[in-house]
Amino acid sequence: MSQSHDRTTCEVCGHSGTSVVPKYTRSPWPVVSCNNCGFVFLGKVPDYEDLSVTYAWEKQHAEEKERRKKTNKLARFDALTRFRLKFGKVVDRRRHQRAVGAGGRVLEIGCGGSTRIPEGPTPYGIEISEGLSQKARPIFEARGGAVYHEPATTGIERFDENFFDSILMRSYLEHEAQPRLILERAFKRLKPGGTILLRSPNYNSANRFIMGAEWCGFRFPDHVNYFTPASLKALATGIGYEFRWMNWMSLFDDNLIVELKKPRRPARQAAAEDVAAAA
């Protein structure tokens, strides 16, 4: 029997109180918006145990792909033109290389059955899907790293503070019912100056307005957050990250691609030093 729980507090602003967005809701998974800041998210989410097996990414992805083929002509056209994504993969690899660098330690949260961490750094991974984590483990171990099969909010606590040079969160944060908690814990594990390269569906993308309820960013119940550039920036900067939206010129890109950087100096220290220098 599937287990789920309600989300009553907005992860971005911390306020309670939501309104259902009926045109996007698919029973029994209500899409809601925060009455205070407008952040859109799933009001009921599966427990981590169900995300590990019942709603594992590899199962949900295949089922949703088949459903869209049967129910939507635009979705079928989209499937026939997926060749356009090959260029995007080349750009992705370049972004990963730039964010990661040639050495150090890199964590990939939601690594799936392989890794996007370029050769050079020691790779570590966290993957909630039992099947995918088993598939990825020998790949990471062959490079001196490791993969942990557990929720990222607990898996990241295995590591010391200032342990990682960079962290990859590609197609992960939309699945995480506690995005604030994971970004707070990631902030502590990043070295000063370290970077998170993050990719998540962009709720403000042009394609969402065109496709409506059939937008590819909607996938129930494993996509539980629907970030916009503004909501993700508010969440990240509230924790202490510097925020950079990398693909702001890509009007029809369904994804939001950003860099979150941990400052080399804490904000209070930087302000105090700037005041002292100006005196």
Side-chain angles (χ1 to χ4, degrees):
M1 181 178 178
S2 297
Q3 300 293 320
S4 61
H5 62 275
D6 293 331
R7 299 170 80 191
T8 58
T9 302
C10 175
E11 289 284 320
V12 172
C13 70
H15 285 252
S16 298
T18 60
S19 299
V20 174
V21 184
K23 63 181 177 179
Y24 295 142
T25 292
R26 192 184 306 158
S27 181
W29 309 106
V31 176
V32 302
S33 63
C34 173
N35 291 339
N36 182 61
C37 72
F39 176 51
V40 176
F41 56 98
L42 218 59
K44 178 182 288 186
V45 298
D47 291 343
Y48 285 125
E49 291 78 5
D50 268 358
L51 284 174
S52 175
V53 180
T54 307
Y55 298 115
W57 180 89
E58 64 271 27
K59 295 180 180 180
Q60 290 296 105
H61 179 71
E63 291 174 3
E64 183 67 7
K65 183 177 180 180
E66 188 61 28
R67 186 192 70 80
R68 291 171 192 259
K69 283 183 179 179
K70 293 179 179 179
T71 61
N72 189 279
K73 292 180 180 180
L74 286 175
R76 289 197 292 271
F77 174 77
D78 177 76
L80 291 173
T81 60
R82 300 301 277 181
F83 61 85
R84 71 189 190 279
L85 300 182
K86 290 183 178 180
F87 175 73
K89 290 181 179 179
V90 173
V91 175
D92 268 354
R93 284 194 293 269
R94 290 178 179 174
R95 286 193 181 115
H96 295 157
Q97 186 67 62
R98 188 176 70 84
V100 166
R105 293 186 289 255
V106 180
L107 174 64
E108 184 173 5
I109 300 180
C111 62
S114 185
T115 183
R116 298 177 181 87
I117 300 174
E119 290 290 337
T122 302
Y124 295 84
I126 301 174
E127 173 54 52
I128 196 170
S129 166
E130 182 177 5
L132 291 179
S133 64
Q134 291 176 352
K135 185 177 179 181
R137 186 163 289 116
I139 299 173
F140 281 75
E141 291 177 350
R143 292 173 54 184
V147 170
Y148 300 97
H149 162 48
E150 58 188 313
T153 51
T154 56
I156 199 168
E157 291 194 298
R158 292 176 173 273
F159 304 101
D160 295 333
E161 293 189 7
N162 302 323
F163 187 81
F164 291 110
D165 296 88
S166 56
I167 297 175
L168 300 184
M169 295 186 185
R170 187 185 188 279
S171 302
Y172 158 72
L173 205 63
E174 65 268 28
H175 299 264
E176 177 52 65
Q178 301 181 85
R180 176 174 291 276
L181 180 62
I182 190 63
L183 287 179
E184 288 173 344
R185 292 180 175 176
F187 189 89
K188 292 180 180 179
R189 273 77 190 175
L190 271 178
K191 295 178 180 178
T195 300
I196 294 177
L197 180 60
L198 190 155
R199 169 174 166 163
S200 182
N202 181 3
Y203 186 74
N204 263 10
S205 68
N207 285 340
R208 196 263 299 178
F209 294 98
I210 295 170
M211 298 294 291
E214 294 300 325
W215 177 51
C216 61
F218 291 123
R219 199 170 75 216
F220 307 129
D222 58 324
H223 282 192
V224 303
N225 303 307
Y226 294 98
F227 291 106
T228 64
S231 61
L232 184 55
K233 181 178 182 179
L235 174 60
T237 56
I239 293 169
Y241 291 100
E242 297 171 355
F243 178 93
R244 181 187 176 204
W245 179 13
M246 299 180 67
N247 64 329
W248 60 272
M249 292 185 65
S250 302
L251 179 62
F252 289 98
D253 194 336
D254 291 299
N255 294 295
L256 177 59
I257 302 174
V258 304
E259 282 187 354
L260 308 181
K261 185 173 288 291
K262 180 177 180 177
R264 294 188 180 277
R265 297 182 297 168
R268 288 183 180 179
Q269 176 188 338
E273 291 177 354
D274 290 343
V275 169

